[in-house]
Amino acid sequence: GAGVSQSPRYKVAKRGQDVALRCDPISGHVSLFWYQQALGQGPEFLTYFQNEAQLDKSGLPSDRFFAERPEGSVSTLKIQRTQQEDSAVYLCASKRTGRETQYFGPGTRLLVL
Amino acid sequence: AQSVTQPDIHITVSEGASLELRCNYSYGATPYLFWYVQSPGQGLQLLLKYFSGDTLVQGIKGFEAEFKRSQSSFNLRKPSVHWSDAAEYFCAVGPKTGAGSYQLTFGKGTKLSVIP
């Protein structure tokens, strides 16, 4: 596609509910990143994929957060047993191998009540 | 660890006035440097980037930024602000070498308001 797309754009979850956030990167982009942006803050790194391999998950805040990219294209970020502190915008970005610029999607705004 | 500081949380300027948004970084070597803009409800759009070479880089929408190694700064400037520039601006750094995941480290952002 022309850009990175994410769905849903908005998600309201009750505390304790599981959620799944989807990212469709730009076609041909090998690298994929997830970031979390809390209200009034800059984005913070969560995890990184190169093709289907998750090479860095050092930013995932707890074992309730899980990300996958099974076929090296679409990625899903799953949050189990959501907590209020998980409320944030979740941004996905992709980039080409050998290039440094990351292109961001519009984000998924998650609100946990 | 790398970090980015944007000292100004909120800046208000009049339309047509000049603009400078400050960014200071802490990094072990010269990193890749970026400025992104985020409008309400939107993702991050790349304004400009610095990798090497000329320390004054031009970006989209009439923005420019200057890399100053001695000051560890990468300030964003625009000579004449338009009302449509009202948004939040983020400075970011990324690793230059092949080690690691090329993750970006962002500042906390500067919100720009424009007075007509």
Side-chain angles (χ1 to χ4, degrees):
Chain A
V4 178
S5 60
Q6 293 185 246
S7 61
R9 292 292 311 277
Y10 303 92
K11 177 70 179 179
V12 179
K14 294 182 180 178
R15 193 174 65 173
Q17 192 176 2
D18 297 350
V19 298
L21 314 180
R22 176 187 169 107
C23 172
D24 281 84
I26 294 172
S27 178
H29 280 198
V30 168
S31 300
L32 186 146
F33 304 80
W34 284 97
Y35 292 85
Q36 181 190 57
Q37 185 176 18
L39 188 64
Q41 302 294 314
E44 293 189 354
F45 170 78
L46 292 177
T47 187
Y48 160 68
F49 289 86
Q50 185 168 318
N51 294 305
E52 68 279 2
Q54 188 176 21
L55 299 185
D56 187 345
K57 53 182 181 179
S58 61
L60 296 177
S62 79
D63 59 7
R64 296 186 295 103
F65 286 71
F66 172 76
E68 60 183 5
R69 195 185 184 196
E71 297 179 0
S73 179
V74 171
S75 177
T76 303
L77 176 67
K78 297 179 179 179
I79 309 173
Q80 297 177 324
R81 305 180 303 281
T82 52
Q83 303 295 315
Q84 285 186 324
E85 61 262 28
D86 299 335
S87 296
V89 175
Y90 291 85
L91 295 166
C92 176
S94 69
K95 78 174 186 73
R96 296 175 64 179
T97 302
R99 295 288 187 267
E100 298 75 20
T101 301
Q102 296 182 24
Y103 295 90
F104 284 81
T108 294
R109 185 176 296 273
L110 173 65
L111 177 62
V112 181
L113 302 177
Chain B
Q2 59 216 49
S3 65
V4 177
T5 302
Q6 293 182 246
D8 305 304
I9 297 173
H10 190 186
I11 284 182
T12 300
V13 299
S14 298
E15 192 170 15
S18 64
L19 172 70
E20 183 169 30
L21 302 182
R22 296 183 289 166
C23 172
N24 292 94
Y25 67 89
S26 174
Y27 199 76
T30 301
Y32 290 131
L33 295 160
F34 305 83
W35 275 99
Y36 283 87
V37 61
Q38 187 176 40
S39 298
Q42 303 297 313
L44 296 167
Q45 181 183 19
L46 180 69
L47 283 176
L48 48 77
K49 57 194 177 188
Y50 173 77
F51 295 158
S52 64
D54 192 349
T55 56
L56 184 64
V57 293
Q58 304 296 320
I60 62 171
K61 304 183 180 185
F63 285 93
E64 67 178 24
E66 185 172 12
F67 169 60
K68 293 186 177 180
R69 184 191 307 272
S70 62
Q71 298 177 19
S72 297
S73 70
F74 188 56
N75 293 349
L76 182 72
R77 300 193 294 248
K78 185 170 185 178
S80 178
V81 169
H82 189 263
W83 64 267
S84 60
D85 294 325
E88 188 139 25
Y89 292 80
F90 292 93
C91 181
V93 300
K96 206 169 192 180
T97 63
S101 62
Y102 302 100
Q103 69 200 61
L104 297 178
T105 299
F106 287 85
K108 292 188 175 183
T110 297
K111 183 177 180 180
L112 174 65
S113 297
V114 180
I115 301 173

